[in-house]
Amino acid sequence: MGRELLVLVKHDCETCRLVLPCLDAAVRAGATLRILSQSTRDETDALSARLGLGPMELDPELSYSERFDPDAVPVLVLLEDDRELDRVEGFERARFELLAEAADVKLDLADLPASRPGCASRARDPDVEAELRARRARREGRIRSRSLRIGGLEDEQE
């Protein structure tokens, strides 16, 4: 399988909007780069249309966000045979170029600033984070359900 780059973004992140045209150009040129949106299909499509980008994949059920657990987006992850080698959260031009070079991907970032902080990952939203923790606990067998028999004189709400 070799090396590839994976990028997680969301529609309401200014830094994501800044780097997406450069990432999209690399994808259109055939780079081994996947762009996944944490946002809904409608939000993602509206962003793509506004920026003139090709269609973007979604991060279904935030499964990649759960797996890589970024604090911020955009996050650029360098993978080798589906194993994480390195990452950059937010935007740092020099680090983006370094990871892109390691994956043999050409990114034209010359017109972008040297760095820009990212936005909080959707996986850090308190409601979403709680859901992801519960999903992980269920998968790991730490949450199990059981049936209880309630007597006729007991209040089932208490």
Side-chain angles (χ1 to χ4, degrees), residues 37-79:
S37 173
Q38 293 181 329
S39 302
T40 66
R41 171 53 60 202
D42 289 343
E43 294 165 336
T44 301
D45 288 347
L47 174 65
S48 291
R50 195 167 47 251
L51 296 178
L53 308 175
M56 264 188 278
E57 292 181 65
L58 297 182
D59 181 8
E61 303 290 316
L62 295 177
S63 56
Y64 284 93
S65 299
E66 179 183 9
R67 176 180 169 197
F68 295 111
D69 198 25
D71 287 325
V73 293
V75 58
L76 178 69
V77 182
L78 174 63
L79 299 170

Side-chain angles (χ1 to χ4, degrees), residues 2 4 12 16 18 21 26 34 36 42 52 69 71 95 100 126 141 158:
E4 70 171 327
D12 58 352
C16 294
L18 174 77
R34 288 181 67 197
L36 299 174
D42 289 343
D69 198 25
D71 287 325
R95 295 269 298 131
E158 292 189 29

Side-chain angles (χ1 to χ4, degrees), residues 1-156:
M1 183 172 172
R3 289 187 175 181
E4 70 171 327
L5 293 174
L6 174 79
V7 184
L8 292 169
V9 298
K10 63 181 187 175
H11 79 285
D12 58 352
C13 171
E14 287 295 325
T15 305
C16 294
R17 287 194 286 258
L18 174 77
V19 301
L20 273 167
C22 299
L23 299 172
D24 183 67
V27 169
R28 290 177 191 233
T32 52
L33 170 68
R34 288 181 67 197
I35 304 170
L36 299 174
S37 173
Q38 293 181 329
S39 302
T40 66
R41 171 53 60 202
D42 289 343
E43 294 165 336
T44 301
D45 288 347
L47 174 65
S48 291
R50 195 167 47 251
L51 296 178
L53 308 175
M56 264 188 278
E57 292 181 65
L58 297 182
D59 181 8
E61 303 290 316
L62 295 177
S63 56
Y64 284 93
S65 299
E66 179 183 9
R67 176 180 169 197
F68 295 111
D69 198 25
D71 287 325
V73 293
V75 58
L76 178 69
V77 182
L78 174 63
L79 299 170
E80 184 167 39
D81 299 325
D82 209 35
R83 185 176 42 91
E84 181 178 344
L85 297 179
D86 202 355
R87 75 167 61 193
V88 181
E89 293 185 16
F91 176 71
E92 294 177 44
R93 186 175 51 214
R95 295 269 298 131
F96 263 58
E97 289 170 343
L98 187 67
L99 268 62
E101 184 180 315
D104 200 25
V105 170
K106 175 70 175 130
L107 292 179
D108 183 9
L109 306 172
D111 294 335
L112 300 184
S115 67
R116 181 75 69 82
C119 300
S121 168
R122 274 205 57 226
R124 293 291 178 249
D125 177 277
D127 293 335
V128 173
E129 188 174 32
E131 182 182 324
L132 294 176
R133 276 197 318 268
R135 188 187 317 165
R136 190 176 314 119
R138 230 181 343 275
R139 197 173 44 247
E140 294 169 357
R142 293 183 286 128
I143 294 179
R144 292 184 292 269
S145 63
R146 60 188 170 112
S147 296
L148 296 175
R149 179 166 267 155
I150 298 174
L153 298 177
E154 294 180 79
D155 182 349
E156 58 190 51

